[in-house]
Amino acid sequence: MDMPQETIQMLDAVLRESPSWNYVTVSRSFFSTTFGHRGDIGEGLECWRGYYQGLCPTQMGLSLNIDISATSFFKPVTVVQFVLEFLNLRDASRPLTDMDRVKIKKALRGVRVETNHQEDKIRRYKITGITPVPTSQLIFPVDERGTRMSVVQYFMQRYNYSLKYTAWPCLQSGSDARPVYLPMEACKIVEGQRYSKKLNDKQVTNILRATCHRPQQREESIREMVLHNKYAKDRFAQEFGINVCSDLVSVPACVLPPPMLRYHDSGKEKTCAPSVGQWNMINKKMINGGIIGNWACVSFSRMRPEEVHRFCCDLIQMCNMTGMSVNPRPLVDNRSDSPNHIENALSDVYRRTTEILGNQGQLQLLIVILPEVSGSYGKIKKVCENDLGIVSQCCLPRHAARPNKQYMENVALKINVKVGGRNTVMERAFARNGIPFVSDVPTIIFGADVTPPPGEDSASSIAAVVASMDWPEITKYRGLVSAQLHRQEIIEDLFSVIKDPQRGNVNGGMIRELLIAFRKKTGRRPERILFYRDGVSEGQFSHVLLHEMDAIRKACASLEEGYMPPVTFVVVQKRHHTRLFPEVHGRCDMTDKSGNILPGTVVDLMICHPKVFDFYLCSHAGIQGTSRSSHYHVLYDENHFTADALQSLTNNLCYTYAHCTRAVSVVQPAYYAHLAAFRARYYVEGNSSDGGSTPGSSGQAAIALEGPVEVHQLSKIKENVKFPLNLQPGGVLRVRTTNAGMIRELLIAFRRKTGRRPNKIIYHNDGEDEGYPTLKLVSAYGAIREACTSLDEDYLPSIVIDNSQERQHPSVSPEISETFDNKLTKAKSEEANLLMSSLFPSY
């Protein structure tokens, strides 16, 4: 199909004309109370049902995309009733506090109201603010001579209307120069006004409950909506000769197999084949279990001390059962404190643990049980990660008080990756060229996202970029974040050049920094780049691709002249309205337990773009409601992926998400980038919002606000939070055994004691076996390496062989008596440095 975009937009406008006259229009959706029951979602708001409609080009020709939707509206009630519900007040006679006034002013600004104090005349006004004084104290001039009168007197004399709620302020309309004062009790909110600000958790839950439909029910609702719209009788469609088929289109699909997952050899089950998008940790152990010697717990909930103690014991037991090595006893006694003293309580725990440990290490994990009332999560994370440098794990009290096994497993998985462990990897990562387009050459996989501020907030957008650091396993990621201009979709800090007075132009940016980190971690430079980009609307595809591909190219070229690894640029869209339903509802071979299509279902024909390579992938199993597949658009591909290869790799990555034993709905690196950007909002100075639960890094940027532009900085995260202590080598371990298992236990004990792992291991030969000294040294070297890599495949400390006894044997080379590994390590180090300099001269 070859049709200009302007033509498609014109035809789309034709089909939208009739519903625009009959319904409330919100973006590309239409809402009305005639579509179903309006549901109260709390605090003066209600939920309206509606439908989304959009005309789009597909391989079949022009197709009409229709889906059920819902959003929040102001309830058409008096302003007094709205204020009572919004502030959860019972007594309207008491004055409003300054904080209450600010909340009401933000909620009602821009809202249209109609007056009800004149029976024969109804006027409508737009609220611009709220008076700073109560109605009883509000006086204004009533004529040109400057005669002043109170609002209460004016309404009594002019309208014979006695005001009751005079302790509350008045609504203000008009301009500041010529304000119009409206008593709240004389105003009613006009019906059909959308509430565009951020909803709280309770309101979101209420909307989901009202609109959460199983696939079969949702499909029926869509069919009913199409019949209700009567496109065949639409006079505008008839005028332009547009015919709309009332049936849903049937498309071919295939189901991709899940990847085989690898766990530690010490577990009963070393591999796992996920079933219907999920699996469990029974008889399995994490492939790289973290080691925690120093931990503590603080509770801000109403849980009793014995309940907190029992929860901690159960959680630590689960961590040890699943492959971690955690000290069963906390460094200090569990502490309970008030939610009003969060900063003091966290600082006190940090001070006490620091005094106990001294120079022997730091607190490695702080378990925090959150208050029953939401709103403290962001503050806790900011204090722990920015101010104190503590890795923290927050738990909700309703789960901690009655934990189940699945919850404990998920928390243990989160803790393991936070302290530097690794939960699982794809089995094919261990085979030569096992993962197509990844294993053959060093490949780095990026994930990027931009999250705008919630609602109508004028704060900055947060950009996040993550990248894989452990080729070819591709399970460990490092992330960077940066604040940028309000509602800016393009990531500005991918590559930057800063002018330094001493050094001249200095190259920087998130892509460059992550490429350098990959080179340091793997010892290889990336020879292939796969870039998953989230948070881009279709209208911005070309703009984002042009700018961000240019930034990637410049970042590579800044490391080495002529360095241009091939790039595949894929946009991930989750917020779309294409729904995939099984052809036959209820068939076990076509649906999961929730009635949704099976995990791994991919569609790349008929409903996809006629020219661009795109596909829909439903990688996850449904839990409730109707699953929404992710829409992947391949905007640029220098790696020449086949459709099967890219779809399979994308689906497999969804199974390596570290926080649960389920396949996720969005490809793993894009998911991590979204979480990193969401977490970073807590690091913006002065931000007190609540949500999120994963760590990110920090950057700097300007934030666009209304009025003069202010420059804020993202608070810096402590290094031992970005890179856990047990990943920071330090100290020397001396061993006298060639048993790999015993050396591993010594390494665990060393890390428990110091909070670090040794960067040097010295083997002392006891001289008992003098028959084959060189063979014994080789055995010792191999055992130490085996013990180290069993804890972390990337952990390779310096190994020194102290063989004083071997000097009695003249047949042995003097080089071995000096050290077995020093020369090898030195040679490798020099070779690595030369290679680093040749690849990236800026090093």
Side-chain angles (χ1 to χ4, degrees):
M1 191 196 80
D2 190 8
M3 183 179 292
Q5 185 64 28
E6 293 79 6
T7 304
I8 298 175
Q9 292 174 349
M10 182 272 294
L11 295 176
D12 183 58
V14 170
L15 289 175
R16 294 172 59 84
E17 186 65 20
S18 290
S20 297
W21 284 96
N22 300 322
Y23 309 131
V24 177
T25 303
V26 178
S27 186
R28 302 184 67 82
S29 296
F30 304 99
F31 297 92
S32 172
T33 56
T34 62
F35 292 146
H37 174 69
R38 55 169 67 170
D40 189 342
I41 62 173
E43 298 187 6
L45 304 180
E46 60 184 9
C47 172
W48 284 23
R49 293 188 62 196
Y51 69 96
Y52 166 90
Q53 175 180 297
L55 195 65
C56 56
T58 66
Q59 297 171 11
M60 303 179 296
L62 283 180
S63 298
L64 189 63
N65 182 201
I66 293 183
D67 188 25
I68 301 302
S69 58
T71 192
S72 56
F73 282 80
F74 285 93
K75 292 170 65 175
V77 296
T78 63
V79 175
V80 170
Q81 184 178 342
F82 173 82
V83 172
L84 290 174
E85 293 185 22
F86 188 80
L87 298 177
N88 194 23
L89 301 177
R90 295 183 179 180
D91 184 9
S93 62
R94 73 169 184 84
L96 298 181
T97 65
D98 290 341
M99 185 178 295
D100 290 340
R101 277 198 333 99
V102 171
K103 290 181 180 179
I104 292 299
K105 181 179 179 180
K106 288 182 177 179
L108 292 179
R109 179 181 292 170
V111 174
R112 300 187 308 277
V113 296
E114 57 186 20
T115 58
N116 56 15
H117 61 283
Q118 295 175 278
E119 294 182 359
D120 59 337
K121 185 183 296 183
I122 296 178
R123 291 185 176 181
R124 292 190 174 186
Y125 299 89
K126 185 176 182 180
I127 300 174
T128 58
I130 292 179
T131 60
V133 297
T135 304
S136 60
Q137 301 176 18
L138 188 60
I139 301 175
F140 67 100
V142 294
D143 55 34
E144 296 179 355
R145 294 176 297 178
T147 306
R148 301 176 68 82
M149 182 181 296
S150 70
V151 172
V152 176
Q153 292 174 334
Y154 179 82
F155 268 74
M156 176 57 71
Q157 293 183 12
R158 182 74 180 268
Y159 307 113
N160 194 27
Y161 190 96
S162 178
L163 298 178
K164 298 178 182 179
Y165 306 105
T166 59
W168 285 11
C170 275
L171 303 176
Q172 183 174 323
S173 183
S175 63
D176 291 336
R178 300 189 63 181
V180 177
Y181 300 120
L182 304 168
M184 290 187 181
E185 61 194 274
C187 298
K188 180 182 178 181
I189 296 176
V190 177
E191 186 180 47
Q193 298 182 82
R194 183 189 176 221
Y195 183 80
S196 58
K197 299 174 179 61
K198 184 181 179 181
L199 300 176
N200 59 37
D201 293 341
K202 184 179 179 181
Q203 291 169 330
V204 172
T205 301
N206 289 334
I207 283 187
L208 292 177
R209 286 176 179 172
T211 60
C212 185
H213 296 157
R214 293 291 188 185
Q216 186 170 3
Q217 183 182 0
R218 191 180 192 96
E219 181 181 341
E220 292 174 355
S221 298
I222 293 175
R223 291 182 182 275
E224 292 173 359
M225 191 65 69
V226 172
L227 295 176
H228 179 272
N229 291 340
K230 299 178 181 179
Y231 291 105
K233 297 182 179 180
D234 188 314
R235 61 187 183 91
F236 295 102
Q238 291 176 348
E239 185 71 22
F240 284 83
I242 301 175
N243 296 315
V244 179
C245 177
S246 59
D247 293 328
L248 273 68
V249 64
S250 180
V251 298
C254 65
V255 179
L256 302 176
M260 185 71 72
L261 302 178
R262 176 78 173 270
Y263 283 90
H264 198 273
D265 291 341
S266 61
K268 291 183 179 180
E269 296 183 14
K270 301 177 180 59
T271 58
C272 171
S275 175
V276 197
Q278 56 188 321
W279 64 103
N280 56 54
M281 290 293 295
I282 298 176
N283 297 327
K284 305 176 189 67
K285 291 192 175 182
M286 302 160 180
I287 193 163
N288 296 119
I291 301 175
I292 302 175
N294 307 316
W295 63 275
C297 175
V298 59
S299 172
F300 298 107
S301 70
R302 293 191 291 267
M303 290 175 60
R304 297 189 302 273
E306 56 270 22
E307 291 180 316
V308 174
H309 176 73
R310 183 170 65 250
F311 169 72
C312 290
C313 291
D314 293 344
L315 179 58
I316 298 306
Q317 182 181 11
M318 177 59 71
C319 290
N320 287 322
M321 286 175 55
T322 51
M324 296 182 65
S325 180
V326 184
N327 189 342
R329 293 188 177 184
L331 187 61
V332 295
D333 294 336
N334 297 336
R335 171 173 178 163
S336 296
D337 216 316
S338 167
N340 298 324
H341 305 141
I342 286 177
E343 294 186 20
N344 292 336
L346 295 176
S347 299
D348 184 61
V349 171
Y350 176 77
R351 179 186 56 79
R352 290 166 57 198
T353 56
T354 303
E355 289 176 355
I356 294 173
L357 293 172
N359 296 327
Q360 299 300 314
Q362 292 185 20
L363 187 67
Q364 295 169 270
L365 175 69
L366 179 63
I367 300 171
V368 180
I369 301 179
L370 297 170
E372 279 75 11
V373 179
S374 63
S376 302
Y377 178 87
K379 180 188 292 185
I380 291 171
K381 286 297 182 181
K382 189 174 188 300
V383 171
C384 288
E385 296 171 2
N386 296 145
D387 302 336
L388 304 178
I390 302 176
V391 175
S392 59
Q393 175 60 52
C394 295
C395 303
L396 291 172
R398 67 174 182 268
H399 294 150
R402 291 182 295 275
N404 57 50
K405 187 176 180 180
Q406 185 62 55
Y407 174 74
M408 290 295 198
E409 282 184 0
N410 288 345
V411 176
L413 295 174
K414 291 182 179 181
I415 290 175
N416 186 50
V417 295
K418 287 181 180 182
V419 299
R422 183 161 44 186
N423 296 333
T424 185
V425 298
M426 285 185 278
E427 170 72 11
R428 296 184 65 180
F430 295 94
R432 185 176 180 84
N433 296 331
I435 304 177
F437 289 90
V438 173
S439 300
D440 54 341
V441 296
T443 301
I444 186 170
I445 301 181
F446 286 94
D449 189 21
V450 176
T451 59
E456 296 180 345
D457 193 346
S458 60
S460 65
S461 295
I462 302 293
V465 180
V466 305
S468 58
M469 292 286 124
D470 60 340
W471 175 80
E473 292 86 356
I474 52 176
T475 55
K476 284 188 175 182
Y477 285 78
R478 181 180 179 185
L480 299 171
V481 297
S482 175
Q484 58 185 41
L485 294 178
H486 175 67
R487 300 286 176 181
Q488 174 69 32
E489 285 196 17
I490 292 175
I491 302 177
E492 297 290 347
D493 197 31
L494 289 181
F495 177 74
S496 60
V497 179
I498 302 173
K499 292 185 178 181
D500 185 90
Q502 284 76 34
R503 297 183 294 169
N505 291 338
V506 178
N507 296 320
M510 293 188 283
I511 293 291
R512 188 177 191 275
E513 185 173 340
L514 291 170
L515 288 172
I516 293 174
F518 180 93
R519 175 64 180 86
K520 289 181 177 179
K521 188 69 175 177
T522 65
R524 306 280 297 275
R525 71 177 187 180
E527 299 296 340
R528 178 183 292 122
I529 294 176
L530 179 55
F531 196 91
Y532 286 102
R533 177 67 158 87
D534 196 2
V536 182
S537 60
E538 290 192 26
Q540 291 287 318
F541 277 3
S542 58
H543 195 40
V544 168
L545 176 65
L546 180 65
H547 182 279
E548 297 186 2
M549 270 300 302
D550 181 61
I552 294 172
R553 287 283 182 237
K554 289 179 178 178
C556 295
S558 71
L559 297 172
E560 177 191 359
E561 186 177 354
Y563 175 47
M564 294 182 61
V567 179
T568 298
F569 195 103
V570 183
V571 168
V572 188
Q573 284 186 324
K574 188 67 176 175
R575 295 184 177 181
H576 61 83
H577 288 272
T578 301
R579 292 294 185 271
L580 302 176
F581 302 105
E583 186 176 19
V584 180
H585 291 280
R587 274 183 51 174
C588 296
D589 60 333
M590 299 183 68
T591 63
D592 58 18
K593 292 181 180 179
S594 66
N596 282 285
I597 57 177
L598 292 171
T601 300
V602 62
V603 174
D604 58 4
L605 295 173
M606 295 181 67
I607 60 173
C608 295
H609 199 277
K611 293 184 177 181
V612 179
F613 174 25
D614 67 323
F615 59 91
Y616 293 90
L617 172 63
C618 180
S619 54
H620 66 298
I623 298 177
Q624 61 178 355
T626 304
S627 297
R628 180 172 4 200
S629 57
S630 292
H631 193 185
Y632 296 88
H633 304 259
V634 185
L635 302 188
Y636 195 71
D637 182 23
E638 294 179 324
N639 291 294
H640 307 295
F641 272 94
T642 63
D644 291 344
L646 184 58
Q647 292 165 4
S648 178
L649 175 59
T650 302
N651 182 60
N652 291 347
L653 288 173
C654 294
Y655 285 80
T656 58
Y657 180 67
H659 290 181
C660 60
T661 53
R662 300 178 64 93
V664 290
S665 59
V666 179
V667 66
Q668 170 209 34
Y671 202 152
Y672 286 154
H674 172 76
L675 294 176
F678 194 71
R679 165 66 64 81
R681 194 159 295 283
Y682 302 137
Y683 305 147
V684 179
E685 294 178 2
N687 193 319
S688 59
S689 59
D690 191 47
S693 63
T694 55
S697 301
S698 58
Q700 300 178 2
I703 296 176
L705 302 173
E706 293 181 0
V709 176
E710 299 182 20
V711 178
H712 293 261
Q713 291 187 356
L714 295 178
S715 303
K716 298 295 183 180
I717 302 176
K718 298 290 184 180
E719 289 299 314
N720 56 299
V721 176
K722 291 193 289 185
F723 307 100
L725 285 175
N726 57 13
L727 294 184
Q728 299 177 11
V732 178
L733 174 65
R734 301 177 186 272
V735 299
R736 296 180 181 274
T737 177
T738 58
N739 184 295
M742 294 180 65
I743 296 173
R744 187 177 189 274
E745 293 302 318
L746 290 171
L747 287 168
I748 293 174
F750 184 96
R751 221 189 304 189
R752 278 182 174 175
K753 180 68 176 176
T754 66
R756 298 172 180 267
R757 59 188 186 187
N759 58 358
K760 179 184 288 187
I761 300 177
I762 301 177
Y763 169 72
H764 294 276
N765 187 3
D766 55 16
E768 293 178 0
D769 184 5
E770 300 182 1
Y772 301 94
T774 304
L775 183 61
K776 184 172 183 179
L777 299 182
V778 173
S779 175
Y781 176 81
I784 294 172
R785 282 296 168 96
E786 180 183 347
C788 294
T789 55
S790 70
L791 296 174
D792 185 346
E793 293 180 0
D794 300 321
Y795 175 38
L796 296 174
S798 174
I799 301 175
V800 177
I801 307 298
D802 182 7
N803 185 35
S804 57
Q805 299 292 329
E806 191 170 322
R807 293 176 183 173
Q808 301 173 7
H809 301 269
S811 60
V812 178
S813 169
E815 294 180 357
I816 298 179
S817 65
E818 177 186 353
T819 174
F820 183 83
D821 193 55
N822 270 356
K823 291 186 178 293
L824 180 62
T825 303
K826 182 178 180 182
K828 285 185 176 179
S829 177
E830 292 175 350
E831 179 185 354
N833 288 334
L834 289 173
L835 182 61
M836 184 79 78
S837 299
S838 64
L839 293 181
F840 299 152
S842 60
Y843 273 20

